[in-house]
Amino acid sequence: YKLLSFLLIFAAILAGCVAFFRVNQVTVTGNSRYTAEEIVAASGVNTGDNLFLVNKPQTAQSIIRRLPYVEKVAPVRVLPDTLELRVTETSAVAAVQAEGNWWLMNAGGKLLDQGDASLKADFPQVLGLHPVTPSVGVRLTVPLEEQTKRDSLRSLLTALSERGMTGNVTGFIDLTSNNAIYFGYGGDL
């Protein structure tokens, strides 16, 4: 009787979760570049889905994959019927040229946008790297012999970003030398 009672109680709890905890509302916080509707559409979560069966890591990865300016997503269940998507966006800090186009990238090396020469106007140009098959939403890839330079660039941009100094880097970031990084800083350096 104990086993049967346990199974009945478990089945009642499971049936209650399936029947009562449905997604009726999806809220988005932390967004500025994308609308809440764009983020919800990228998540793949629909009204009526079971709140407990929503795969949170898969939902976050889906948003990050489809919306390049989204850096992190934290899906949070708010009982009884709300899924909150806490979004952290990223911004472009440099521009790199490849295949005749300009690509904007964030401090971590993620390519955010593609366009013509007008796209690079507000960002320092990265010199000395030759991107291989660039694509929006993926990390910058370079030939094997340039990977050390790419890693150095990411370290520099991350350090500047953590200190809120990326806006002071102007004009260029020159990685043509194997043992030095040159970049414009402020109006005079």
Side-chain angles (χ1 to χ4, degrees), residues 30-153:
N31 60 314
S32 60
R33 182 170 189 88
Y34 299 109
T35 65
E37 292 79 20
E38 288 174 308
I39 294 170
V40 171
S43 74
V45 176
N46 298 311
T47 302
D49 288 352
N50 186 290
L51 190 60
F52 288 106
L53 296 180
V54 171
N55 187 332
K56 294 192 308 185
Q58 182 179 355
T59 300
Q61 284 303 314
S62 178
I63 294 169
I64 291 169
R65 198 173 38 253
R66 293 180 184 170
L67 304 174
Y69 282 90
V70 173
E71 186 69 21
K72 294 181 206 169
V73 178
V76 178
R77 294 179 186 107
V78 181
L79 296 177
D81 64 354
T82 302
L83 180 68
E84 181 180 347
L85 301 172
R86 296 178 184 166
V87 175
T88 304
E89 294 182 341
T90 187
S91 59
V93 296
V96 63
Q97 187 175 23
E99 301 175 356
N101 292 312
W102 285 94
W103 300 79
L104 295 182
M105 61 185 281
N106 71 358
K110 182 179 179 183
L111 299 174
L112 303 174
D113 217 342
Q114 171 193 5
D116 58 14
S118 64
L119 188 69
K120 67 175 173 76
D122 298 328
F123 302 98
Q125 301 172 29
V126 176
L127 308 171
L129 287 182
H130 303 91
V132 177
T133 61
S135 180
V136 171
V138 298
R139 302 266 180 230
L140 177 68
T141 56
V142 294
L144 185 61
E145 61 273 7
E146 293 181 358
Q147 287 183 358
T148 302
K149 292 179 183 181
R150 181 207 53 207
D151 295 342
S152 298
L153 174 66

